[in-house]
Amino acid sequence: MGQYIQKSSMRSKRVPLAVLLGTMFFSPGLAMAEVYPEELVDLSAGALITQGTKLLKSEKYDDAVVYFKEYLVRMESTDTDRVRSMKQRVRLRIATILSHLEDYQGSIEMLEAYTQELPLARPREAYKLLTINYNEAKDYERCIQAAQIALTQPEPKGLVEKEKKEENFEDLSKDELGGLSARQLKRYAEIEAEAAKEGRIDLSQNLNASDKAEPEYTLDELILLNMLLAESCTKLEDWETSVKPYKFVVEYAMQEDRKGYATMQLVNSLINLERFEEVKEFILQLCETDARYDIRVNMALMKAASSLLEHKEFDSALMLYRMILPRTEMIAYQERKMNEIRQEVGLPDVVVTIEKNESGRADTVFGYKNSGLSAIIKAQEAAGKLPKKPMELILLEESVGELANLAPYEDDVLYRIGQLYASAGRPWEAVEALDAVVARDPDGERGQRAFAESLMVYGTSLKQYDLVEERALDYLAKNKSGLGPRMVTHALISSYQSQDNWEAVKGLLPIIKGFEPSDDKAVVQYECELYYLQAIADLMLMEYAEARKGFWYVLAQYDKSHQQQNSLYWHAMSGLFLQEYEGALKELTKFAADFPRSQYVPSVLFHSGICLFALERYDEAEQKYTEVIENYPEDRVYSDACSMRADLFASKGNEWLEKAQEGYEEAIRTAQTDKQDSYAVFQMAAMFEMEERYDEIIEVVNAYLARQDKKADVAKAAYWIGKTKLAQGLIDEAVAEYRKAIVRYGDDVQQDGVDMIITELVNVSARLDEKQLAKLEESLLRSVENAKNETLRLRLLVLLAKINDEELELGKELLTQVTDLKSAPPPVLAIICDASFAENNYSNAEEILKLFKTKFEDSDFMRSAYKLRGYDLYSQKEYDETLKLIKETQELYGTDSDAVWAQIMRGDIQFNEKELDAARETYRAVLNVRGWRGEPYAEANYKLGLTEEAAGEYGAAHDWFQRTYVQYKGYDGGNWAADAYLGSARSLSALGKENDSRNTYRAMLFDKYVNTLPQADVAKKALGAEEVAEINAFIESGMQTNIVVSLEAEVPQK
Amino acid sequence: MNRSLVILTCCALSGVLYAAKPAASEPQPTPVEVALTAIEAGNLNKAEKQLSAIESPAGKLYVQASVERAKGEQAKAIKTLSKLVVNYPNDADWIAKADYMCAEVYCDLGMSKAADVTAKQVEALYPGTELAQKAEVLRAKIENDVEKKAKGQKQD
């Protein structure tokens, strides 16, 4: 910008100042005699003026100032009207000279003095000069003030006029006469008075003959003042004030380049004011001018385009970027223009060529078109025979010089255009531009950035995944240091992310670790991002422990990074997913305190509620949900909070059901996701079911189906509708509805509603008569035959197996048939688990449980997976992990009949770890649950016997063993009883009761439930062959034993 | 040969040459015009033959993209157009047409968002022109197609 102003003032600098000043304020009557430098003190005041003026004419400006300043000093005490006026003119003259000499401060001081005194004959000139000086001195605030005064009220205001002092010319001293005679001065005064009478001169201000009324500003001056005002405003970023003066220049400037520059600057102000509609309007105007060939305009275009790009004003930014011309095109234009001027003034045409000089700076050579002429013309030029170059031509030549020395900008423009197309959503144009940048500068920073950004577009927008992977891996194999490899890895991760291929993201970790370390800020930031994405990948893969470590790594290695807040949040959330509720709660609480304005706060509060709920601190959980509900009604978690609080209300008892219903209804009303809606709907349905409000179940489920249409969880809805029909006794209708839903939605592995229907249909089948059951089986078999989808086929097979009690057989078949467990729905996975368990095959245990946890978290079929994995871990003696799993199982399934294994396994671990008191308690707890009666009781009794035996409490041990073989001999083919016999015999022996011990063995061999089992061999061995033969004979004869072993010590029963 | 004879000979020769030229009122179509007319008529071979005669690099790319599009090679067409748009943004003869064709080809490719963005830019960059009007119509069509597609998905 400064260059531009200089350019406008440069013209005047080439004109001798004296020419400009000559007409300003010296009366023609003041003859300027040739006076040579003398001692100033020897000169009269008049001679000082004369000498100064003479020096001015000779362009000896510095010397002239000395004389004029001396005049002011000399006349300081003289205060007549004429001298006051003279002093003012001298001040203005000095200011003009100093400004010309680039002593802006000196000029300003003189002008400030000038504008504070009367008479102020040339206020417009003074304020114009002040505006220019302030601008040059970079005092933009004062420049604005001066320009505003100049444009609005240049005439003096508020200055006190001094008392008029008329002169008696006859009494004047030599100095006061100023080189004129008294008569001459008198005559000039009379002329002035006459002119004033005729209204030609304002007497109040002009006492001297030369103080003619100052004309208004010319249009050129107004343009200059407006331009300076606008530019100063721009410097001070006062965009609003800059708009009006820029618009003035745009409207009135005649020169295309000035108009264009002002338009560009106006666009810049409007961008900063975010008045984008006007921006567009002025850009279109700019397109129509030749100003676009001005290098300064082009530079300004780049700046403005970049701002527009940042503001996502893609259309306007594109317009600007497209207007930026390559250097060659601009030079060609300037050459044409130069030759037009040259032809006008009779100069030969030139061709612009650019060469580098020794210092590497570009030299512009204006070679003549006919090279043969060159020497001749140069000689003519040197001899002064050619016409003088006009100023316009000189300026053009200078601007071409500037252009030649400008740093290359074309690649940057191309790069920006590529970015613009990428952001705006024109992907093919984006990759074309970015790839062109890469081709021009493959190893430079811009080229590498362009390469990575191009890959990003290929991956995320054009889905050319293979291309991205191939190019990126090839590049990464060769590049390990700097920003490029990090950016490329980031682009590759984005591509994998678009494909949901998180395993591939994790596969990049070794590459990331192999990068050469760097302290560069941008490199560090990218690296932090890459490690953060690694942790995110772990999170997506449900590897919560790894994710937690990853987020911690980011926090520890990249202190206060851009991902700090995100990492803290996800670190806490990973803890929650790992069910480490206490720790997660602490972290979430700290997060909310440290980042009270974070976007995560509602989610943090909600998940704090989840932790508190899991920790059974229900009141506090309710408070957290309430906090979310009251403060963040627009947030994503609001609906969840409503549902969770409603769950809490529903669990409080009947008097809270109304409030719970209100909560679910609010959750449904405000749901932002399908899941939020369906959760609230089906929870509410479950609540209605408890109160047998079947009509309301139908109502709420039908409303849900209508609302969600295609997106509805139709299978689950069908489950609830069927369930209601069953409750109303409409069994055939319910069965038909269920079968229809299974066939229709069973092909989607994620439709857990179908799995609920399968369970329900199995239950219903027990209530069907033979005919109904046959009909159902027939229709199911038909559906199996017609099923084209494997998931549906497997589901139907499982349903049939469950109805016919053939699950184990089917499970064994599926164990070998189902190779891709990921496509298997929960019932199939469960049946595979059961079959694996039966075969002690734990190879799939971990994978299946993980599948459940990641894909079917709410499925009831997950219990089989827990059991299999529990036995897997136990068999590996991973007791800590086993206990964790047992805890999870018991939290989920409590005292359900099929969860007893967890309680017994806990006892087994305690027993193995010699924690006998704990084991005793654990086994005994089994006997307190009525739902676990049967085989679990047998096992618990036997293991209590073992525990007492290990504790040396043989009497008690015998008692538990005896209870087992007496009460539970039918379970597990008599195995518990057989083992118990042996345990009993051992205990009696340990008590020294050998006879009783032998009697126990005898009783065992008489016991038909156990006497053929392998354990009987122990008894046979202890008794000896003879006695065994005797017993066998006894049994064969049909006799029964009456052997009873009893002890005094009874085992206390709870 | 004297001076006047030389002048006469020159005049005569120029007359012969002049007579050999077509009438001024019937200018020869340019290779671009020939190519575009041929594409419209479905004569892609003829259009392709014109390519080497087209001087303007931007014009050549435009015709090439038009041929590719007419052949149903939309992916090729959008790449060719991108070359034009990126490398000749100041070519006033072709840039607007290329921008508009980009919008159309994106539409052909089913890239509705890119098509809409591009058509919108045509409206913004060339206000008041015929192309801007066509872009407006194209955007309405895109919107309609997107709505239809969404409805179709719902019904499925």
Side-chain angles (χ1 to χ4, degrees):
Chain A
M1 183 278 298
Q3 285 173 314
Y4 190 85
I5 299 302
Q6 278 178 358
K7 182 184 164 188
S8 64
S9 54
M10 266 164 65
R11 290 167 188 262
S12 61
K13 283 179 187 173
R14 292 183 180 267
V15 180
L17 186 64
V19 175
L20 291 174
L21 293 172
T23 55
M24 268 178 61
F25 49 80
F26 283 96
S27 69
L30 285 170
M32 286 181 278
E34 289 275 316
V35 179
Y36 294 97
E38 291 174 17
E39 286 296 319
L40 294 177
V41 286
D42 293 340
L43 293 177
S44 68
L48 286 170
I49 295 295
T50 307
Q51 184 61 9
T53 307
K54 190 181 171 191
L55 289 165
L56 196 59
K57 267 189 131 182
S58 319
E59 299 186 24
K60 292 177 178 167
Y61 306 124
D62 290 305
D63 296 338
V65 169
V66 176
Y67 286 87
F68 293 136
K69 279 192 172 173
E70 178 60 23
Y71 173 82
L72 291 178
V73 173
R74 190 80 61 81
M75 304 306 282
E76 196 177 359
S77 56
T78 308
D79 199 25
T80 65
D81 292 346
R82 187 184 61 80
V83 173
R84 272 207 298 268
S85 175
M86 188 63 165
K87 284 196 287 191
Q88 281 290 72
R89 284 188 288 125
V90 169
R91 285 189 186 107
L92 189 55
R93 168 173 283 193
I94 295 171
T96 310
I97 298 169
L98 291 177
S99 180
H100 174 74
L101 294 173
E102 299 182 8
D103 178 2
Y104 304 115
Q105 206 48 51
S107 178
I108 287 167
E109 280 166 23
M110 207 49 74
L111 287 165
E112 280 174 350
Y114 178 75
T115 52
Q116 293 308 307
E117 288 274 336
L118 287 176
L120 190 51
R122 302 186 71 82
R124 288 169 190 79
E125 180 64 29
Y127 281 112
K128 184 183 82 179
L129 206 49
L130 259 179
T131 306
I132 293 170
N133 285 332
Y134 281 134
N135 179 70
E136 295 290 355
K138 299 187 177 14
D139 187 346
Y140 300 114
E141 273 179 33
R142 287 206 172 93
C143 180
I144 291 169
Q145 283 169 14
Q148 282 172 337
I149 292 171
L151 290 167
T152 56
Q153 48 151 36
E155 297 293 342
K157 276 185 187 166
L159 296 181
V160 180
E161 198 174 331
K162 289 186 180 172
E163 191 189 335
K164 281 185 180 174
K165 284 186 182 171
E166 285 194 14
E167 286 174 305
N168 182 351
F169 296 118
E170 304 299 333
D171 297 341
L172 293 177
S173 67
K174 188 184 167 194
D175 269 357
E176 287 163 349
L177 284 169
L180 299 175
S181 67
R183 188 194 281 187
Q184 278 175 312
L185 283 174
K186 203 173 175 183
R187 177 63 192 142
Y188 288 137
E190 282 166 7
I191 292 168
E192 284 292 307
E194 277 170 29
K197 270 185 197 169
E198 290 166 16
R200 284 187 281 122
I201 303 169
D202 180 357
L203 271 178
S204 64
Q205 289 186 35
N206 297 281
L207 297 174
N208 192 295
S210 65
D211 279 351
K212 293 174 185 169
E214 188 185 31
E216 291 295 331
Y217 286 124
T218 63
L219 184 59
D220 273 353
E221 285 174 321
L222 286 172
I223 289 168
L224 175 68
L225 284 165
N226 275 287
M227 193 70 182
L228 291 171
L229 170 60
E231 291 287 85
S232 294
C233 291
T234 297
K235 286 282 179 193
L236 297 176
E237 298 185 0
D238 181 359
W239 311 114
E240 189 66 57
T241 316
S242 75
V243 170
K244 196 178 160 193
Y246 275 136
K247 280 186 174 174
F248 183 91
V249 180
V250 170
E251 191 174 350
Y252 294 106
M254 300 301 284
Q255 290 162 280
E256 283 286 304
D257 55 351
R258 180 176 285 201
K259 194 190 202 65
Y261 178 79
T263 309
M264 198 53 253
Q265 290 295 78
L266 174 58
V267 163
N268 187 45
S269 294
L270 292 171
I271 289 170
N272 282 296
L273 291 165
E274 299 187 11
R275 284 154 61 175
F276 296 114
E277 275 309 306
E278 286 175 80
V279 168
K280 216 175 281 180
E281 181 192 324
F282 282 100
I283 292 171
L284 285 169
Q285 279 188 28
L286 191 63
C287 288
E288 291 161 7
T289 73
D290 282 343
R292 53 197 297 232
Y293 293 100
D294 185 313
I295 183 59
R296 285 167 288 268
V297 170
N298 273 268
M299 294 301 105
L301 278 172
M302 266 185 256
K303 199 175 152 214
S306 173
S307 297
L308 285 167
L309 188 56
E310 274 170 32
H311 283 90
K312 297 190 188 305
E313 289 289 327
F314 301 124
D315 300 350
S316 299
L318 183 61
M319 256 191 252
L320 289 192
Y321 276 126
R322 282 185 173 181
M323 282 169 65
I324 298 166
L325 294 171
R327 184 193 314 248
T328 48
E329 208 165 315
M330 265 190 278
I331 290 176
Y333 173 83
Q334 307 287 28
E335 185 188 279
R336 275 200 307 277
K337 212 171 162 188
M338 272 193 288
N339 284 331
E340 278 170 20
I341 301 169
R342 294 179 76 92
Q343 281 163 18
E344 268 177 36
V345 296
L347 284 166
D349 282 3
V350 288
V351 178
V352 178
T353 51
I354 296 166
E355 291 169 359
K356 296 264 175 181
N357 64 18
E358 285 165 5
S359 60
R361 196 178 153 76
D363 268 348
T364 318
V365 176
F366 302 102
Y368 292 105
K369 274 191 173 172
N370 182 344
S371 58
L373 285 175
S374 192
I376 304 164
I377 290 170
K378 273 184 184 166
Q380 286 178 334
E381 206 171 12
K385 288 182 182 172
L386 284 179
K388 267 197 165 182
K389 285 181 186 175
M391 185 57 61
E392 199 183 349
L393 183 59
I394 294 168
L395 289 170
L396 266 178
E397 287 179 356
E398 281 176 2
S399 91
V400 172
E402 280 174 43
L403 196 54
N405 277 298
L406 204 70
Y409 61 87
E410 291 90 343
D411 287 1
D412 193 53
V413 170
L414 190 58
Y415 173 56
R416 295 287 182 165
I417 286 180
Q419 287 185 314
L420 190 154
Y421 282 131
S423 309
R426 293 178 68 174
W428 280 110
E429 290 88 336
V431 293
E432 176 64 32
L434 293 168
D435 288 350
V437 174
V438 178
R440 289 185 196 184
D441 180 23
D443 300 322
E445 192 188 319
R446 191 192 295 118
Q448 297 215 358
R449 277 180 181 272
F451 179 66
E453 286 172 38
S454 163
L455 289 184
M456 190 69 101
V457 180
Y458 275 121
T460 53
S461 301
L462 297 171
K463 306 200 185 313
Q464 308 253 318
Y465 302 128
D466 292 344
L467 176 147
V468 174
E469 191 171 44
E470 192 186 324
R471 286 192 185 178
L473 292 178
D474 180 52
Y475 173 91
L476 290 170
K478 297 168 195 157
N479 296 277
K480 304 277 176 214
S481 67
L483 192 62
R486 272 95 174 172
M487 285 187 78
V488 168
T489 309
H490 188 248
L492 183 54
I493 288 177
S494 299
S495 174
Y496 286 147
Q497 198 174 336
S498 300
Q499 303 165 69
D500 254 340
N501 189 352
W502 295 102
E503 284 91 352
V505 174
K506 288 303 300 174
L508 294 175
L509 186 58
I511 293 178
I512 297 168
K513 283 183 173 171
F515 291 152
E516 280 177 27
S518 167
D519 291 334
D520 180 87
K521 214 175 158 188
V523 171
V524 171
Q525 190 175 353
Y526 257 98
E527 199 164 271
C528 166
E529 183 71 17
L530 296 179
Y531 278 106
Y532 174 75
L533 288 171
Q534 284 295 314
I536 291 287
D538 284 322
L539 202 64
M540 299 305 289
L541 292 166
M542 309 286 171
E543 297 287 356
Y544 301 125
E546 283 303 308
R548 202 167 151 79
K549 275 188 214 162
F551 291 122
W552 184 247
Y553 181 82
V554 172
L555 290 167
Q557 294 293 315
Y558 305 97
D559 189 29
K560 292 182 183 143
S561 74
H562 68 293
Q563 291 295 7
Q564 187 191 24
Q565 209 182 103
N566 287 334
S567 297
L568 282 168
Y569 174 76
W570 287 114
H571 187 265
M573 290 298 286
S574 305
L576 188 150
F577 298 145
L578 286 164
Q579 300 182 348
E580 293 171 8
Y581 299 114
E582 200 78 62
L585 180 62
K586 262 188 198 167
E587 287 182 39
L588 291 170
T589 308
K590 187 169 182 327
F591 185 99
D594 290 348
F595 305 102
R597 290 173 191 279
S598 164
Q599 53 160 344
Y600 287 124
V601 166
S603 174
V604 163
L605 291 172
F606 173 72
H607 287 104
S608 298
I610 298 282
C611 291
L612 288 161
F613 184 88
L615 293 166
E616 298 179 12
R617 289 155 64 178
Y618 301 121
D619 288 345
E620 290 170 77
E622 189 186 316
Q623 272 174 21
K624 291 287 175 196
Y625 299 141
T626 303
E627 211 176 324
V628 174
I629 292 163
E630 286 177 355
N631 297 308
Y632 304 100
E634 304 296 323
D635 197 85
R636 259 179 85 88
V637 295
Y638 174 81
S639 173
D640 292 319
C642 289
S643 281
M644 295 307 287
R645 193 171 71 166
D647 286 350
L648 282 171
F649 288 155
S651 68
K652 281 187 178 181
N654 286 346
E655 67 275 25
W656 286 87
L657 293 182
E658 203 175 317
K659 277 206 140 204
Q661 187 176 340
E662 280 172 18
Y664 291 130
E665 283 168 352
E666 176 69 357
I668 291 165
R669 191 184 67 76
T670 58
Q672 292 184 25
T673 65
D674 308 339
K675 249 195 160 172
Q676 286 176 332
D677 190 0
S678 62
Y679 180 85
V681 165
F682 297 124
Q683 286 295 97
M684 189 149 70
M687 188 184 82
F688 288 150
E689 191 197 18
M690 288 192 309
E691 292 194 302
E692 297 179 4
R693 292 156 66 180
Y694 298 112
D695 288 344
E696 284 167 89
I697 293 178
I698 299 286
E699 198 180 312
V700 72
V701 172
N702 279 336
Y704 163 76
L705 288 170
R707 188 169 57 246
Q708 288 287 351
D709 200 14
K710 179 77 184 163
K711 289 185 283 177
D713 186 344
V714 187
K716 211 175 262 180
Y719 165 79
W720 278 103
I721 291 171
K723 211 168 163 68
T724 306
K725 286 190 172 161
L726 282 175
Q728 291 167 338
L730 305 168
I731 294 176
D732 285 340
E733 271 186 42
V735 168
E737 196 83 35
Y738 280 158
R739 197 193 61 78
K740 217 167 85 187
I742 292 169
V743 172
R744 187 155 180 200
Y745 304 106
D747 57 352
D748 181 354
V749 78
Q750 287 290 346
Q751 277 285 6
D752 57 342
V754 172
D755 301 328
M756 289 166 74
I757 290 173
I758 287 175
T759 307
E760 195 64 16
L761 198 49
V762 171
N763 294 336
V764 176
S765 67
R767 291 155 62 183
L768 300 178
D769 60 33
E770 210 172 306
K771 203 176 156 194
Q772 285 172 315
L773 191 60
K775 193 180 161 197
L776 173 63
E777 282 185 35
E778 193 192 325
S779 67
L780 288 174
L781 279 168
R782 222 176 24 248
S783 300
V784 171
E785 281 165 21
N786 294 335
K788 287 173 189 157
N789 175 281
E790 186 60 8
T791 304
L792 171 62
R793 197 182 72 86
L794 288 172
R795 270 185 167 132
L796 290 165
L797 285 175
V798 170
L799 174 57
L800 276 164
K802 277 182 178 281
I803 290 172
N804 295 316
D805 211 10
E806 294 166 350
E807 294 149 272
L808 208 57
E809 289 77 2
L810 178 66
K812 284 176 184 172
E813 277 177 39
L814 295 182
L815 249 177
T816 51
Q817 284 175 15
V818 179
T819 48
D820 180 17
L821 290 171
K822 282 178 189 155
S823 65
V828 176
L829 289 174
I831 228 170
I832 289 174
C833 280
D834 294 341
S836 300
F837 182 75
E839 296 194 342
N840 294 329
N841 175 358
Y842 306 128
S843 56
N844 291 325
E846 188 176 2
E847 187 187 351
I848 294 177
L849 182 60
K850 196 170 156 191
L851 271 174
F852 267 109
K853 284 183 170 184
T854 54
K855 291 170 75 178
F856 316 111
E857 197 187 6
D858 299 326
S859 172
D860 197 49
F861 290 98
M862 185 160 58
R863 52 183 77 225
S864 298
Y866 267 108
K867 184 176 176 181
L868 187 67
R869 178 65 175 151
Y871 275 84
D872 177 24
L873 288 168
Y874 181 76
S875 69
Q876 297 174 51
K877 296 195 167 56
E878 297 277 354
Y879 293 148
D880 287 345
E881 285 302 304
T882 315
L883 285 170
K884 265 190 200 168
L885 191 103
I886 287 168
K887 189 168 175 269
E888 275 178 47
T889 307
Q890 293 189 324
E891 277 167 2
L892 282 170
Y893 308 114
T895 56
D896 287 1
S897 60
D898 53 2
V900 65
W901 64 267
Q903 180 72 7
I904 291 176
M905 193 176 278
R906 181 191 294 279
D908 292 349
I909 291 170
Q910 290 161 340
F911 180 85
N912 293 344
E913 297 281 309
K914 314 270 185 243
E915 296 165 6
L916 298 180
D917 289 343
R920 187 183 292 120
E921 284 304 307
T922 304
Y923 291 137
R924 277 192 171 181
V926 175
L927 304 178
N928 293 336
V929 179
R930 290 175 64 84
W932 287 344
R933 279 197 286 188
E935 189 170 334
Y937 268 36
E939 189 174 354
N941 271 291
Y942 170 71
K943 287 183 171 171
L944 276 163
L946 285 179
T947 307
E948 296 300 354
E949 186 185 11
E953 298 290 341
Y954 301 112
H958 165 266
D959 236 27
W960 287 114
F961 288 136
Q962 191 177 49
R963 184 166 298 165
T964 308
Y965 68 70
V966 169
Q967 291 185 18
Y968 307 107
K969 59 180 66 180
Y971 295 106
D972 192 23
N975 272 304
W976 295 118
D979 287 338
Y981 272 116
L982 299 181
S984 180
R986 283 197 309 274
S987 302
L988 291 167
S989 180
L991 286 168
K993 300 188 174 195
E994 291 300 337
N995 193 38
D996 287 339
S997 176
R998 288 183 71 82
N999 274 342
T1000 303
Y1001 287 134
R1002 284 189 191 105
M1004 186 182 184
L1005 295 184
F1006 274 107
D1007 191 336
K1008 61 180 179 181
Y1009 286 96
V1010 300
N1011 59 10
T1012 55
L1013 294 174
Q1015 293 93 322
D1017 293 345
V1018 178
K1020 287 173 189 169
K1021 196 178 170 189
L1023 294 174
E1026 197 179 327
E1027 196 167 346
V1028 172
E1030 198 178 300
I1031 290 168
N1032 284 340
F1034 202 69
I1035 292 168
E1036 275 171 23
S1037 67
M1039 300 295 287
Q1040 285 193 345
T1041 180
N1042 58 354
I1043 302 166
V1044 177
V1045 179
S1046 61
L1047 285 176
E1048 285 173 10
E1050 273 292 328
V1051 178
Q1053 291 277 304
K1054 261 194 175 177
Chain B
M1 203 184 285
N2 66 33
R3 189 185 171 88
S4 56
L5 187 61
V6 171
I7 293 167
L8 279 172
T9 311
C10 286
C11 289
L13 275 174
S14 79
V16 170
L17 291 171
Y18 185 73
K21 283 182 188 169
S25 56
E26 286 173 30
Q28 282 286 344
T30 64
V32 170
E33 286 165 348
V34 173
L36 293 177
T37 311
I39 292 167
E40 254 181 56
N43 191 347
L44 302 183
N45 277 342
K46 187 179 175 186
E48 277 180 306
K49 279 178 189 165
Q50 294 297 315
L51 281 172
S52 57
I54 300 171
E55 281 180 13
S56 151
K60 190 182 271 189
L61 287 170
Y62 184 82
V63 171
Q64 190 186 325
S66 302
V67 171
E68 286 161 350
R69 189 175 176 220
K71 281 183 177 174
E73 296 170 341
Q74 316 297 354
K76 270 191 185 174
I78 193 70
K79 286 183 194 175
T80 306
L81 286 167
S82 298
K83 279 194 178 74
L84 192 169
V85 165
V86 168
N87 296 304
Y88 306 99
N90 291 300
D91 192 320
D93 291 338
W94 296 107
I95 188 66
K97 287 175 194 164
D99 272 335
Y100 178 70
M101 207 207 289
C102 279
E104 284 187 319
V105 177
Y106 273 129
C107 201
D108 297 343
L109 287 164
M111 295 171 75
S112 311
K113 208 177 152 196
D116 187 60
V117 162
T118 312
K120 193 168 155 263
Q121 284 187 339
V122 172
E123 283 185 79
L125 297 175
Y126 319 107
T129 63
E130 196 188 329
L131 278 176
Q133 285 173 8
K134 283 171 85 174
E136 195 184 344
V137 174
L138 182 65
R139 285 188 71 200
K141 180 185 171 291
I142 294 163
E143 200 179 329
N144 200 24
D145 287 352
V146 170
E147 262 177 36
K148 261 189 193 170
K149 206 173 166 187
K151 271 186 191 168
Q153 276 174 350
K154 260 190 180 180
Q155 279 163 3
D156 287 345

